[in-house]
Amino acid sequence: MTHVTSTSRISRRSMLKAAGAAGAATVAATALPATATAAPASAFAHPGLLHTGTDLARMAAKVKAGAAPYTAGFAKLTANRHAQSGWTPNPQRTVYRGAGSPQNYATLYNDIHAAYQNALRHHVSGEDVYADTAVTILNAWSAELTSLAGSADRFLAAGLYGYQFANAAELVRDHPDFDLASFQELLTKVFAPLSDDFLVRHNGAVVTNYWSNWDLCAMACVLATGIFCDDRAQVGRAVDYFKDGDGLGAVRHAIPVVHDDGLAEWLEAGRDQGHALLGVGLMGTFCEMAWNQGYDLYGYDNSRFLKGAQYVAKWSMGGQVPYTANTRAKGAIGGWSGRETASTAAHVDPTMTRPIWAMISNHYTKRRGLSAPYLTRITARSSPEGGGGDYGPNSGGYDQLGFGTLTFTRDRTASAGPTPSAGASSGTRPQSGATASPAAGEDLAATGSSAVVGWSAAAGVTAVAGGLLLLRRRGRGA
Protein backbone atom coordinates (compact mmCIF):
# COMPACT_ATOMS: atom_id res chain seq x y z
CA MET A 1 0.00 0.00 0.00
CA THR A 2 1.25 3.46 -0.87
CA HIS A 3 2.40 5.38 2.17
CA VAL A 4 0.74 8.75 2.69
CA THR A 5 1.39 11.65 4.98
CA SER A 6 -1.77 13.56 5.80
CA THR A 7 -2.45 16.98 7.27
CA SER A 8 -5.33 15.62 9.28
CA ARG A 9 -7.36 18.63 10.30
CA ILE A 10 -7.66 22.39 10.19
CA SER A 11 -7.39 24.14 13.54
CA ARG A 12 -10.77 24.36 15.26
CA ARG A 13 -9.50 27.37 17.16
CA SER A 14 -8.86 29.24 13.93
CA MET A 15 -12.35 28.43 12.67
CA LEU A 16 -14.22 29.56 15.76
CA LYS A 17 -12.22 32.57 16.87
CA ALA A 18 -13.53 36.06 16.31
CA ALA A 19 -11.33 37.38 13.55
CA GLY A 20 -9.20 40.46 13.89
CA ALA A 21 -6.70 39.56 16.59
CA ALA A 22 -3.15 39.81 15.37
CA GLY A 23 -1.10 36.58 15.57
CA ALA A 24 2.64 36.57 15.95
CA ALA A 25 4.73 35.37 13.05
CA THR A 26 5.80 31.79 13.62
CA VAL A 27 8.20 30.98 10.85
CA ALA A 28 10.98 33.17 9.50
CA ALA A 29 11.67 32.99 5.76
CA THR A 30 15.13 31.78 4.90
CA ALA A 31 16.92 32.42 1.62
CA LEU A 32 19.27 29.89 0.10
CA PRO A 33 22.78 30.80 -1.16
CA ALA A 34 22.92 33.64 -3.64
CA THR A 35 23.37 33.32 -7.36
CA ALA A 36 23.27 37.04 -8.15
CA THR A 37 23.83 40.42 -6.52
CA ALA A 38 21.47 41.17 -3.65
CA ALA A 39 19.09 44.12 -3.70
CA PRO A 40 19.99 47.35 -1.89
CA ALA A 41 19.33 47.25 1.84
CA SER A 42 16.45 49.73 1.60
CA ALA A 43 14.39 47.98 -1.06
CA PHE A 44 13.39 44.81 -2.80
CA ALA A 45 14.96 43.95 -6.14
CA HIS A 46 13.18 45.62 -9.07
CA PRO A 47 11.94 44.47 -11.46
CA GLY A 48 11.27 41.52 -9.22
CA LEU A 49 7.76 40.12 -9.36
CA LEU A 50 7.15 37.45 -12.00
CA HIS A 51 10.03 38.75 -14.14
CA THR A 52 13.47 40.04 -13.22
CA GLY A 53 15.76 42.18 -15.36
CA THR A 54 17.73 39.04 -16.22
CA ASP A 55 14.54 37.30 -17.34
CA LEU A 56 13.53 40.19 -19.57
CA ALA A 57 16.98 40.37 -21.15
CA ARG A 58 16.87 36.62 -21.83
CA MET A 59 13.51 36.89 -23.60
CA ALA A 60 14.67 39.75 -25.80
CA ALA A 61 17.94 38.04 -26.71
CA LYS A 62 16.29 34.71 -27.51
CA VAL A 63 13.62 36.28 -29.71
CA LYS A 64 16.19 38.41 -31.51
CA ALA A 65 18.23 35.27 -32.18
CA GLY A 66 15.17 33.46 -33.55
CA ALA A 67 15.40 30.76 -30.89
CA ALA A 68 12.59 28.29 -30.33
CA PRO A 69 10.26 28.14 -28.49
CA TYR A 70 10.65 31.82 -27.60
CA THR A 71 9.67 32.96 -31.09
CA ALA A 72 6.44 30.95 -30.95
CA GLY A 73 5.70 32.43 -27.54
CA PHE A 74 6.36 35.95 -28.78
CA ALA A 75 4.12 35.34 -31.79
CA LYS A 76 1.28 34.45 -29.39
CA LEU A 77 1.86 37.75 -27.61
CA THR A 78 1.96 39.97 -30.68
CA ALA A 79 -1.17 38.31 -32.11
CA ASN A 80 -3.23 39.05 -28.99
CA ARG A 81 -5.58 42.00 -29.34
CA HIS A 82 -4.58 43.26 -25.88
CA ALA A 83 -0.92 43.63 -26.89
CA GLN A 84 -1.54 46.44 -29.36
CA SER A 85 -0.36 50.02 -28.89
CA GLY A 86 -3.75 51.42 -29.88
CA TRP A 87 -5.45 50.11 -26.73
CA THR A 88 -7.56 52.77 -25.00
CA PRO A 89 -8.21 52.37 -21.26
CA ASN A 90 -11.65 52.65 -19.71
CA PRO A 91 -11.06 53.33 -15.99
CA GLN A 92 -13.96 53.13 -13.53
CA ARG A 93 -14.47 54.87 -10.20
CA THR A 94 -15.81 51.67 -8.59
CA VAL A 95 -15.36 48.13 -9.89
CA TYR A 96 -18.10 45.63 -9.05
CA ARG A 97 -17.82 41.85 -9.10
CA GLY A 98 -20.50 39.43 -7.94
CA ALA A 99 -24.19 38.65 -8.28
CA GLY A 100 -26.53 41.44 -7.29
CA SER A 101 -24.14 44.20 -8.33
CA PRO A 102 -23.76 46.16 -11.59
CA GLN A 103 -20.82 44.01 -12.62
CA ASN A 104 -18.19 45.86 -14.64
CA TYR A 105 -15.06 43.97 -13.62
CA ALA A 106 -14.44 42.73 -17.17
CA THR A 107 -13.43 46.29 -18.03
CA LEU A 108 -10.76 46.11 -15.34
CA TYR A 109 -9.24 42.75 -16.23
CA ASN A 110 -9.15 43.56 -19.94
CA ASP A 111 -7.26 46.78 -19.24
CA ILE A 112 -4.87 45.03 -16.85
CA HIS A 113 -4.00 42.42 -19.43
CA ALA A 114 -3.54 45.11 -22.07
CA ALA A 115 -1.13 46.95 -19.76
CA TYR A 116 0.83 43.80 -18.97
CA GLN A 117 1.00 42.61 -22.57
CA ASN A 118 2.08 45.98 -23.90
CA ALA A 119 4.73 46.32 -21.21
CA LEU A 120 6.03 42.83 -21.91
CA ARG A 121 6.05 43.46 -25.65
CA HIS A 122 8.12 46.59 -25.06
CA HIS A 123 10.77 44.68 -23.13
CA VAL A 124 11.09 42.02 -25.81
CA SER A 125 10.90 44.22 -28.90
CA GLY A 126 12.52 47.37 -27.52
CA GLU A 127 9.75 49.52 -29.02
CA ASP A 128 8.84 52.39 -26.70
CA VAL A 129 5.30 52.78 -28.04
CA TYR A 130 4.21 49.69 -26.13
CA ALA A 131 5.66 50.92 -22.84
CA ASP A 132 3.92 54.25 -23.41
CA THR A 133 0.61 52.45 -23.92
CA ALA A 134 1.05 50.44 -20.72
CA VAL A 135 1.81 53.61 -18.76
CA THR A 136 -1.25 55.36 -20.17
CA ILE A 137 -3.47 52.49 -19.03
CA LEU A 138 -1.95 52.26 -15.55
CA ASN A 139 -1.96 56.01 -14.92
CA ALA A 140 -5.59 56.25 -16.01
CA TRP A 141 -6.68 53.63 -13.48
CA SER A 142 -4.62 54.99 -10.59
CA ALA A 143 -6.22 58.40 -11.18
CA GLU A 144 -9.78 57.04 -11.20
CA LEU A 145 -10.34 53.82 -9.25
CA THR A 146 -11.29 54.28 -5.59
CA SER A 147 -13.06 51.07 -4.53
CA LEU A 148 -13.96 47.43 -5.22
CA ALA A 149 -17.50 46.33 -4.39
CA GLY A 150 -20.04 43.58 -4.96
CA SER A 151 -20.68 40.22 -3.33
CA ALA A 152 -18.04 38.04 -1.70
CA ASP A 153 -16.53 37.92 -5.18
CA ARG A 154 -15.05 41.36 -4.50
CA PHE A 155 -12.33 39.50 -2.59
CA LEU A 156 -11.55 37.51 -5.73
CA ALA A 157 -11.36 40.78 -7.69
CA ALA A 158 -8.97 42.27 -5.14
CA GLY A 159 -6.71 39.24 -5.13
CA LEU A 160 -6.59 38.39 -8.82
CA TYR A 161 -6.48 41.89 -10.22
CA GLY A 162 -4.28 43.24 -7.45
CA TYR A 163 -1.42 40.84 -8.14
CA GLN A 164 -1.87 41.28 -11.90
CA PHE A 165 -1.91 45.07 -11.70
CA ALA A 166 1.28 45.03 -9.63
CA ASN A 167 3.02 42.83 -12.18
CA ALA A 168 2.01 45.05 -15.08
CA ALA A 169 3.19 48.16 -13.25
CA GLU A 170 6.46 46.52 -12.19
CA LEU A 171 7.46 46.29 -15.83
CA VAL A 172 7.23 50.06 -16.33
CA ARG A 173 8.02 51.36 -12.83
CA ASP A 174 11.08 53.24 -14.16
CA HIS A 175 9.27 54.82 -17.11
CA PRO A 176 9.58 58.62 -16.80
CA ASP A 177 5.84 59.17 -17.29
CA PHE A 178 4.65 56.46 -14.91
CA ASP A 179 3.06 57.83 -11.73
CA LEU A 180 4.64 55.38 -9.31
CA ALA A 181 3.39 57.05 -6.14
CA SER A 182 -0.22 57.12 -7.30
CA PHE A 183 -0.09 53.49 -8.34
CA GLN A 184 1.41 52.44 -5.03
CA GLU A 185 -1.42 54.29 -3.32
CA LEU A 186 -3.96 52.47 -5.50
CA LEU A 187 -2.56 49.09 -4.52
CA THR A 188 -2.22 49.87 -0.82
CA LYS A 189 -5.63 51.53 -0.40
CA VAL A 190 -7.91 49.66 -2.82
CA PHE A 191 -6.55 46.15 -3.43
CA ALA A 192 -4.27 45.02 -0.59
CA PRO A 193 -6.61 45.92 2.31
CA LEU A 194 -9.34 43.58 1.04
CA SER A 195 -6.88 40.74 0.48
CA ASP A 196 -5.13 41.27 3.80
CA ASP A 197 -8.48 41.36 5.58
CA PHE A 198 -9.67 38.18 3.87
CA LEU A 199 -6.70 36.23 5.19
CA VAL A 200 -7.66 37.31 8.72
CA ARG A 201 -11.46 37.22 8.70
CA HIS A 202 -12.40 35.16 5.66
CA ASN A 203 -15.41 37.42 5.11
CA GLY A 204 -16.91 36.48 8.47
CA ALA A 205 -16.95 32.76 7.65
CA VAL A 206 -15.37 29.74 9.27
CA VAL A 207 -11.90 29.43 7.85
CA THR A 208 -12.63 26.39 5.64
CA ASN A 209 -15.74 27.92 4.04
CA TYR A 210 -13.65 29.05 1.10
CA TRP A 211 -11.70 26.71 -1.15
CA SER A 212 -7.95 27.10 -1.59
CA ASN A 213 -8.02 29.46 -4.56
CA TRP A 214 -9.72 32.20 -2.52
CA ASP A 215 -6.80 32.30 -0.11
CA LEU A 216 -4.24 31.91 -2.87
CA CYS A 217 -5.36 34.93 -4.87
CA ALA A 218 -5.42 37.03 -1.69
CA MET A 219 -1.93 35.78 -0.80
CA ALA A 220 -0.67 36.66 -4.30
CA CYS A 221 -2.06 40.19 -3.98
CA VAL A 222 -0.56 40.76 -0.53
CA LEU A 223 2.83 39.49 -1.69
CA ALA A 224 2.89 41.33 -5.02
CA THR A 225 1.76 44.66 -3.60
CA GLY A 226 4.20 44.30 -0.71
CA ILE A 227 7.11 43.81 -3.09
CA PHE A 228 5.95 46.56 -5.44
CA CYS A 229 5.60 49.01 -2.55
CA ASP A 230 8.78 47.86 -0.73
CA ASP A 231 6.78 46.83 2.34
CA ARG A 232 8.82 44.13 4.06
CA ALA A 233 6.25 43.48 6.80
CA GLN A 234 3.53 42.85 4.24
CA VAL A 235 5.72 40.45 2.30
CA GLY A 236 6.57 38.68 5.53
CA ARG A 237 2.89 38.22 6.34
CA ALA A 238 2.26 36.63 2.96
CA VAL A 239 5.22 34.26 3.23
CA ASP A 240 4.27 33.23 6.76
CA TYR A 241 0.70 32.54 5.64
CA PHE A 242 1.94 30.29 2.83
CA LYS A 243 3.77 28.21 5.42
CA ASP A 244 1.46 28.29 8.43
CA GLY A 245 -1.78 30.07 7.54
CA ASP A 246 -5.10 28.90 8.95
CA GLY A 247 -6.98 28.83 5.63
CA LEU A 248 -7.01 26.32 2.80
CA GLY A 249 -4.47 28.29 0.74
CA ALA A 250 -1.60 27.49 3.11
CA VAL A 251 0.55 24.87 1.44
CA ARG A 252 -0.17 21.98 3.80
CA HIS A 253 -3.91 22.60 3.60
CA ALA A 254 -4.03 23.07 -0.18
CA ILE A 255 -1.90 19.92 -0.56
CA PRO A 256 -2.93 17.86 2.47
CA VAL A 257 -1.80 14.32 1.60
CA VAL A 258 1.68 13.36 0.35
CA HIS A 259 2.34 9.94 -1.19
CA ASP A 260 5.71 8.25 -1.38
CA ASP A 261 5.49 7.96 -5.20
CA GLY A 262 6.27 11.67 -5.61
CA LEU A 263 2.67 12.86 -5.88
CA ALA A 264 0.64 14.85 -3.36
CA GLU A 265 -3.11 15.32 -3.44
CA TRP A 266 -4.48 18.72 -4.44
CA LEU A 267 -7.47 19.44 -2.20
CA GLU A 268 -9.46 21.25 -4.87
CA ALA A 269 -9.23 18.28 -7.23
CA GLY A 270 -12.28 17.12 -5.30
CA ARG A 271 -14.14 20.18 -6.54
CA ASP A 272 -13.45 20.49 -10.27
CA GLN A 273 -10.62 20.74 -12.78
CA GLY A 274 -10.94 24.43 -13.57
CA HIS A 275 -10.55 25.56 -9.99
CA ALA A 276 -7.73 23.10 -9.36
CA LEU A 277 -5.84 24.56 -12.34
CA LEU A 278 -6.50 28.05 -11.01
CA GLY A 279 -5.07 27.08 -7.64
CA VAL A 280 -1.93 25.52 -9.10
CA GLY A 281 -1.38 28.60 -11.24
CA LEU A 282 -1.80 30.91 -8.27
CA MET A 283 0.54 28.93 -6.03
CA GLY A 284 3.11 28.88 -8.83
CA THR A 285 2.74 32.64 -9.23
CA PHE A 286 3.22 33.12 -5.50
CA CYS A 287 6.33 30.90 -5.44
CA GLU A 288 7.85 32.61 -8.48
CA MET A 289 7.43 36.11 -7.08
CA ALA A 290 8.84 34.98 -3.74
CA TRP A 291 11.79 33.26 -5.44
CA ASN A 292 12.73 36.48 -7.20
CA GLN A 293 13.06 38.13 -3.79
CA GLY A 294 15.06 35.39 -2.11
CA TYR A 295 12.45 33.04 -0.67
CA ASP A 296 12.48 29.42 -1.82
CA LEU A 297 8.86 28.42 -1.36
CA TYR A 298 9.03 26.15 -4.40
CA GLY A 299 11.26 23.93 -2.28
CA TYR A 300 9.48 24.44 1.02
CA ASP A 301 8.49 21.33 2.98
CA ASN A 302 10.50 18.98 0.77
CA SER A 303 9.13 20.52 -2.45
CA ARG A 304 5.53 19.91 -1.48
CA PHE A 305 4.30 22.16 -4.29
CA LEU A 306 6.19 20.11 -6.87
CA LYS A 307 4.36 16.99 -5.71
CA GLY A 308 0.99 18.72 -5.81
CA ALA A 309 1.61 20.19 -9.27
CA GLN A 310 2.72 16.78 -10.57
CA TYR A 311 -0.51 15.29 -9.21
CA VAL A 312 -2.69 17.88 -10.95
CA ALA A 313 -0.74 17.55 -14.19
CA LYS A 314 -1.18 13.75 -14.24
CA TRP A 315 -4.86 14.00 -13.32
CA SER A 316 -5.53 16.74 -15.91
CA MET A 317 -4.07 14.55 -18.66
CA GLY A 318 -6.53 11.79 -17.76
CA GLY A 319 -4.33 9.79 -15.40
CA GLN A 320 -5.70 7.96 -12.37
CA VAL A 321 -4.84 9.58 -9.05
CA PRO A 322 -5.79 8.79 -5.44
CA TYR A 323 -7.98 11.15 -3.48
CA THR A 324 -8.42 10.95 0.28
CA ALA A 325 -11.99 11.77 1.35
CA ASN A 326 -12.25 15.03 3.25
CA THR A 327 -14.96 17.04 4.89
CA ARG A 328 -14.76 20.78 5.26
CA ALA A 329 -16.86 23.04 7.44
CA LYS A 330 -18.91 25.79 5.85
CA GLY A 331 -20.84 28.69 7.25
CA ALA A 332 -20.60 31.90 9.21
CA ILE A 333 -18.98 32.42 12.58
CA GLY A 334 -21.91 32.62 14.96
CA GLY A 335 -24.38 31.85 12.15
CA TRP A 336 -25.45 29.04 9.85
CA SER A 337 -23.16 26.05 9.47
CA GLY A 338 -22.74 22.87 7.50
CA ARG A 339 -20.25 20.42 6.13
CA GLU A 340 -19.28 19.45 2.59
CA THR A 341 -17.54 16.18 1.80
CA ALA A 342 -15.41 15.48 -1.26
CA SER A 343 -14.81 11.78 -1.71
CA THR A 344 -13.06 11.47 -5.06
CA ALA A 345 -11.18 13.48 -7.66
CA ALA A 346 -13.53 15.12 -10.14
CA HIS A 347 -13.80 14.11 -13.78
CA VAL A 348 -11.46 15.97 -16.14
CA ASP A 349 -11.33 17.14 -19.73
CA PRO A 350 -7.80 16.38 -20.98
CA THR A 351 -8.12 19.18 -23.53
CA MET A 352 -8.64 21.85 -20.86
CA THR A 353 -5.57 23.96 -20.28
CA ARG A 354 -4.47 27.21 -18.75
CA PRO A 355 -1.17 29.11 -19.19
CA ILE A 356 0.36 27.92 -15.90
CA TRP A 357 2.69 25.05 -16.66
CA ALA A 358 5.81 26.57 -18.27
CA MET A 359 6.58 28.63 -15.15
CA ILE A 360 6.38 25.64 -12.81
CA SER A 361 8.07 23.00 -14.95
CA ASN A 362 10.95 25.28 -15.93
CA HIS A 363 11.65 26.05 -12.31
CA TYR A 364 11.86 22.45 -11.20
CA THR A 365 13.45 20.89 -14.28
CA LYS A 366 15.69 23.71 -15.52
CA ARG A 367 16.55 25.83 -12.49
CA ARG A 368 16.78 22.92 -10.07
CA GLY A 369 17.48 19.99 -12.39
CA LEU A 370 14.76 17.80 -10.88
CA SER A 371 12.67 15.16 -12.62
CA ALA A 372 9.04 16.18 -13.17
CA PRO A 373 7.70 13.97 -15.96
CA TYR A 374 4.03 14.96 -15.73
CA LEU A 375 4.88 18.65 -15.64
CA THR A 376 7.17 18.20 -18.63
CA ARG A 377 4.49 16.43 -20.64
CA ILE A 378 1.67 18.86 -19.88
CA THR A 379 3.93 21.84 -20.58
CA ALA A 380 4.71 20.44 -24.02
CA ARG A 381 1.00 19.88 -24.66
CA SER A 382 0.16 23.45 -23.66
CA SER A 383 2.92 25.16 -25.65
CA PRO A 384 3.06 27.85 -26.81
CA GLU A 385 1.18 29.43 -23.93
CA GLY A 386 -0.95 32.47 -24.60
CA GLY A 387 -2.42 34.98 -22.18
CA GLY A 388 -5.60 36.86 -21.36
CA GLY A 389 -7.88 36.74 -24.37
CA ASP A 390 -6.54 33.41 -25.65
CA TYR A 391 -8.55 31.18 -23.31
CA GLY A 392 -12.10 32.34 -23.82
CA PRO A 393 -13.97 35.59 -23.14
CA ASN A 394 -14.96 34.89 -19.55
CA SER A 395 -13.06 35.86 -16.42
CA GLY A 396 -11.49 32.42 -15.98
CA GLY A 397 -9.48 33.00 -19.13
CA TYR A 398 -7.92 36.06 -17.50
CA ASP A 399 -6.97 34.58 -14.11
CA GLN A 400 -3.32 34.17 -15.15
CA LEU A 401 -1.12 36.63 -16.99
CA GLY A 402 0.24 33.79 -19.11
CA PHE A 403 2.78 33.74 -21.98
CA GLY A 404 4.95 31.31 -20.03
CA THR A 405 6.59 29.81 -23.12
CA LEU A 406 8.11 33.23 -23.83
CA THR A 407 8.70 34.37 -20.27
CA PHE A 408 9.69 31.25 -18.32
CA THR A 409 11.45 28.95 -20.79
CA ARG A 410 15.06 28.83 -19.67
CA ASP A 411 18.25 26.90 -20.24
CA ARG A 412 19.22 24.37 -17.62
CA THR A 413 21.22 25.99 -14.83
CA ALA A 414 22.80 24.84 -11.59
CA SER A 415 21.08 27.38 -9.36
CA ALA A 416 21.67 26.79 -5.68
CA GLY A 417 18.73 28.93 -4.69
CA PRO A 418 16.96 32.24 -5.16
CA THR A 419 18.66 35.60 -5.10
CA PRO A 420 18.35 37.00 -1.57
CA SER A 421 16.73 40.39 -1.18
CA ALA A 422 17.07 42.76 1.72
CA GLY A 423 13.33 42.35 2.07
CA ALA A 424 13.53 38.62 2.72
CA SER A 425 12.55 38.78 6.35
CA SER A 426 9.49 37.61 8.20
CA GLY A 427 6.72 39.95 9.28
CA THR A 428 3.61 39.66 11.39
CA ARG A 429 0.43 37.82 10.54
CA PRO A 430 -2.06 39.59 8.24
CA GLN A 431 -3.83 42.50 9.84
CA SER A 432 -6.22 45.09 8.50
CA GLY A 433 -9.08 47.33 9.41
CA ALA A 434 -12.59 46.19 10.27
CA THR A 435 -14.40 47.63 7.27
CA ALA A 436 -14.00 44.88 4.69
CA SER A 437 -16.14 42.13 6.24
CA PRO A 438 -19.93 42.03 6.45
CA ALA A 439 -21.93 41.00 9.48
CA ALA A 440 -21.64 37.33 10.34
CA GLY A 441 -23.68 35.15 8.05
CA GLU A 442 -24.11 37.68 5.24
CA ASP A 443 -22.61 37.61 1.75
CA LEU A 444 -20.29 34.64 2.26
CA ALA A 445 -19.56 33.15 -1.12
CA ALA A 446 -20.89 32.18 -4.48
CA THR A 447 -20.41 28.55 -3.40
CA GLY A 448 -22.94 28.61 -0.55
CA SER A 449 -26.01 30.24 0.95
CA SER A 450 -26.23 32.03 4.27
CA ALA A 451 -29.79 30.80 4.71
CA VAL A 452 -29.88 27.20 3.56
CA VAL A 453 -27.24 24.49 3.28
CA GLY A 454 -28.03 23.26 -0.20
CA TRP A 455 -25.04 22.11 -2.19
CA SER A 456 -25.73 19.67 -5.02
CA ALA A 457 -23.97 16.35 -5.23
CA ALA A 458 -21.42 16.45 -8.04
CA ALA A 459 -18.02 14.94 -8.60
CA GLY A 460 -18.29 13.05 -5.33
CA VAL A 461 -19.28 16.12 -3.27
CA THR A 462 -22.12 15.79 -0.75
CA ALA A 463 -23.52 18.15 1.87
CA VAL A 464 -24.11 17.30 5.50
CA ALA A 465 -24.62 19.37 8.63
CA GLY A 466 -22.05 20.93 11.00
CA GLY A 467 -18.39 20.23 11.78
CA LEU A 468 -14.72 20.55 10.82
CA LEU A 469 -12.63 19.70 7.82
CA LEU A 470 -11.17 16.23 8.35
CA LEU A 471 -9.05 14.08 6.07
CA ARG A 472 -9.81 10.40 6.09
CA ARG A 473 -7.92 7.53 4.53
CA ARG A 474 -10.10 5.26 2.47
CA GLY A 475 -11.57 2.39 4.44
CA ARG A 476 -11.34 4.23 7.76
CA GLY A 477 -13.79 6.24 9.77
CA ALA A 478 -13.63 9.96 10.40
Side-chain angles (χ1 to χ4, degrees):
M1 177 179 293
T2 302
H3 173 73
V4 299
T5 302
S6 172
T7 303
S8 60
R9 66 189 300 165
I10 305 298
S11 166
R12 182 175 177 85
R13 173 194 60 79
S14 67
M15 293 174 55
L16 300 179
K17 70 181 180 181
T26 57
V27 180
T30 302
L32 295 183
T35 58
T37 303
S42 60
F44 287 100
H46 298 290
L49 289 177
L50 284 174
H51 315 305
T52 66
T54 299
D55 294 333
L56 295 166
R58 179 187 67 247
M59 300 172 211
K62 293 289 189 179
V63 170
K64 183 177 181 179
Y70 299 90
T71 50
F74 187 58
K76 290 288 288 188
L77 174 64
T78 58
N80 194 299
R81 71 182 184 91
H82 296 80
Q84 311 308 314
S85 61
W87 189 275
T88 301
N90 184 20
Q92 307 291 305
R93 176 70 60 178
T94 299
V95 166
Y96 298 89
R97 176 168 176 165
S101 67
Q103 299 191 77
N104 61 350
Y105 67 101
T107 300
L108 173 60
Y109 67 65
N110 275 282
D111 274 3
I112 291 173
H113 283 258
Y116 172 77
Q117 291 180 27
N118 271 276
L120 184 61
R121 186 169 181 175
H122 156 71
H123 280 284
V124 177
S125 71
E127 297 174 87
D128 291 339
V129 65
Y130 299 108
D132 296 341
T133 299
V135 168
T136 296
I137 297 168
L138 297 168
N139 284 348
W141 277 93
S142 67
E144 183 70 17
L145 181 62
T146 60
S147 63
L148 302 174
S151 69
D153 286 2
R154 69 194 183 279
F155 293 105
L156 294 177
L160 292 168
Y161 311 138
Y163 95 77
Q164 292 176 0
F165 242 159
N167 270 276
E170 182 78 348
L171 295 180
V172 295
R173 67 180 296 133
D174 294 329
H175 191 288
D177 295 331
F178 177 57
D179 190 342
L180 176 62
S182 291
F183 207 84
Q184 288 176 324
E185 182 177 7
L186 173 68
L187 293 175
T188 56
K189 292 188 176 180
V190 176
F191 289 91
L194 278 171
S195 292
D196 229 343
D197 185 88
F198 185 83
L199 296 177
V200 174
R201 295 177 175 83
H202 287 90
N203 196 29
V206 295
V207 73
T208 57
N209 185 77
Y210 293 94
W211 287 98
S212 302
N213 74 85
W214 288 76
D215 263 10
L216 285 164
C217 68
M219 291 158 59
C221 176
V222 172
L223 179 65
T225 58
I227 293 170
F228 185 82
C229 299
D230 290 312
D231 187 332
R232 291 192 293 274
Q234 183 169 315
V235 170
R237 294 197 301 272
V239 170
D240 286 344
Y241 196 95
F242 175 92
K243 295 178 178 181
D244 287 323
D246 292 332
L248 298 185
V251 65
R252 292 188 185 93
H253 299 162
I255 310 170
V257 180
V258 177
H259 295 264
D260 61 6
D261 63 356
L263 300 181
E265 297 177 19
W266 194 267
L267 181 68
E268 217 156 350
R271 182 186 184 186
D272 60 58
Q273 184 184 10
H275 286 97
L277 292 174
L278 169 60
V280 171
L282 288 169
M283 189 171 285
T285 294
F286 190 93
C287 290
E288 184 68 21
M289 293 188 297
W291 174 274
N292 287 333
Q293 298 298 336
Y295 303 89
D296 185 10
L297 301 181
Y298 276 120
Y300 181 73
D301 197 20
N302 197 25
S303 297
R304 197 180 191 98
F305 178 48
L306 168 61
K307 297 166 187 175
Q310 281 266 91
Y311 173 97
V312 174
K314 178 182 180 181
W315 169 63
S316 290
M317 292 187 290
Q320 294 296 310
V321 293
Y323 190 84
T324 303
N326 68 81
T327 299
R328 67 189 185 98
K330 293 174 67 73
I333 296 174
W336 68 278
S337 64
R339 289 195 305 170
E340 186 176 55
T341 297
S343 57
T344 188
H347 295 294
V348 300
D349 174 3
T351 66
M352 180 185 290
T353 190
R354 288 291 184 267
I356 63 176
W357 298 112
M359 172 176 59
I360 302 165
S361 68
N362 273 276
H363 172 79
Y364 286 115
T365 65
K366 299 296 180 65
R367 271 189 185 140
R368 305 316 296 260
L370 302 175
S371 175
Y374 298 113
L375 286 174
T376 300
R377 284 173 52 197
I378 203 166
T379 299
R381 284 190 181 192
S382 304
S383 181
E385 290 181 352
D390 291 323
Y391 298 89
N394 298 324
S395 60
Y398 292 81
D399 286 343
Q400 288 85 30
L401 291 169
F403 299 105
T405 305
L406 169 65
T407 58
F408 297 112
T409 300
R410 60 186 72 248
D411 298 325
R412 187 179 295 273
T413 62
S415 173
T419 301
S421 163
S425 60
S426 180
T428 59
R429 295 292 300 281
Q431 300 183 49
S432 60
T435 59
S437 295
E442 298 179 2
D443 181 37
L444 287 182
T447 57
S449 166
S450 60
V452 179
V453 179
W455 310 284
S456 60
V461 178
T462 57
V464 295
L468 299 170
L469 183 144
L470 304 172
L471 292 169
R472 300 174 297 189
R473 297 186 185 181
R474 294 189 184 277
R476 297 189 179 186

